[in-house]
Amino acid sequence: MRWFKPRPPDAAPTADLVRVGACTDVGQVRSENQDHLGVHPPEAPRLFIVADGMGGHEDGHEASRIAVEALVAHFSQARGALVDRLAGAVRAANHAVWQAAADKTALRRMGTTCTALALDDRRAALAHVGDSRAYRIAPGHALLDQLTPDHTVAGELLANGIVSEAEAGRHPQRHALTRALGMDAEVDVFALDLGTVAHGTRFVLCSDGLAPVPPAEVARAAAAYDPQDAAEWLVAQANAHGGPDNVTVVIVEITGRDA
Ligand code: MG
């Protein structure tokens, strides 16, 4: 695998406003990949999704697949402000997973996280439920700005100032979800209007399988490499750190420079 492909320094911005990299892998321990990603459609407004399914048998795999498909379908038909369209599509995805789960026995509950970024030209919006993450990297800065809260027991304690970030990172319930799609007929969706994004901004969407990779390493690779190389390299790094979970990475770069 190529792990670094420098771009020519004087490369002209391409006609395409967005460069995308995406990679998902089962990891080193699990027998099945229950993550799904979506990169959709080729024309604006575009949609980038990471969903991390949970449930026994193949239910987690099914939950994340249903969520991505329902989100894409509802977003394409929705009207109104970008952030409202996106949040509405995530609520519709919740309903689709919940309905599919209702057909199962109580022992076979299924659910999924969902982190989605919508881009219309350079306007961006996020909608999110669960503990997958979205980060923003400002142009010229190899620093991760985490845009999404973790909907976990530890994440809620951190948000309420009860534990520090370091304490949350090693809290025994750092993986215990407090919100997921498919648990109920309604879900509280975290939504964020990011406004107009500067040229050169990059976004990283990932499942919690990327957690073993140190944040500085994620920032460095995601800021510097070609997005596809960065996504593949980060998945390989998660596996090199033991690959304890399914891992999914989507990297989106808004190309060009501000005048
Ligand atoms: Mg996971």
Side-chain angles (χ1 to χ4, degrees):
M1 178 189 303
R2 287 169 303 151
W3 65 279
F4 183 54
K5 187 174 69 178
R7 268 184 295 160
D10 57 350
T14 58
D16 189 1
L17 189 69
V18 174
R19 294 199 310 158
V20 184
C23 189
T24 186
D25 191 72
V26 67
Q28 301 293 301
V29 175
R30 304 285 175 92
S31 60
E32 181 189 56
N33 191 352
Q34 299 196 331
D35 288 0
H36 269 94
L37 63 85
V39 174
H40 243 280
E43 69 282 353
R46 300 192 67 178
L47 205 48
F48 309 93
I49 310 162
V50 168
D52 176 351
M54 60 209 189
H57 305 278
E58 297 198 335
D59 296 344
H61 179 82
E62 195 183 341
S64 57
R65 178 186 60 77
I66 292 169
V68 169
E69 288 178 4
L71 205 168
V72 170
H74 282 83
F75 182 79
S76 67
Q77 291 165 6
R79 295 289 171 266
L82 193 65
V83 68
D84 297 334
R85 290 173 63 185
L86 187 61
V90 172
R91 283 192 291 271
N94 172 68
H95 203 265
V97 177
W98 180 74
Q99 271 196 321
D103 296 337
K104 313 251 180 205
T105 69
L107 288 174
R108 293 188 60 187
R109 288 178 61 189
M110 62 179 187
T112 183
T113 73
C114 183
T115 300
L117 171 73
L119 270 181
D120 192 1
D121 199 6
R122 280 197 292 138
R123 287 188 303 116
L126 268 178
H128 159 81
V129 173
D131 69 346
S132 299
R133 288 183 173 176
Y135 298 103
R136 176 174 47 198
I137 301 174
H141 297 269
L143 288 171
L144 296 176
D145 174 15
Q146 187 178 336
L147 301 170
T148 48
D150 291 339
H151 294 142
T152 60
V153 172
E156 309 276 357
L157 292 173
L158 174 65
N160 288 309
I162 295 166
V163 298
S164 68
E165 202 165 334
E167 288 167 335
R170 56 177 183 265
H171 194 280
Q173 289 188 289
R174 63 187 179 278
H175 299 300
L177 287 177
T178 52
R179 271 189 235 180
L181 301 192
M183 297 291 101
D184 214 331
E186 304 291 333
V187 69
D188 191 6
V189 176
F190 171 86
L192 191 61
D193 185 350
L194 294 164
T196 300
V197 177
H199 289 292
T201 301
R202 291 185 177 208
F203 293 97
V204 180
L205 308 186
C206 61
S207 64
D208 64 338
L210 190 63
V213 183
E217 197 67 2
V218 176
R220 190 184 65 79
Y225 301 172
D226 169 90
Q228 183 59 37
D229 290 349
E232 291 177 13
W233 192 80
L234 288 170
V235 166
Q237 285 302 295
N239 283 330
H241 281 83
D245 195 3
N246 307 148
V247 55
T248 301
V249 178
V250 176
I251 297 178
V252 182
E253 178 193 2
I254 317 301
T255 60
R257 295 203 181 104
D258 284 324

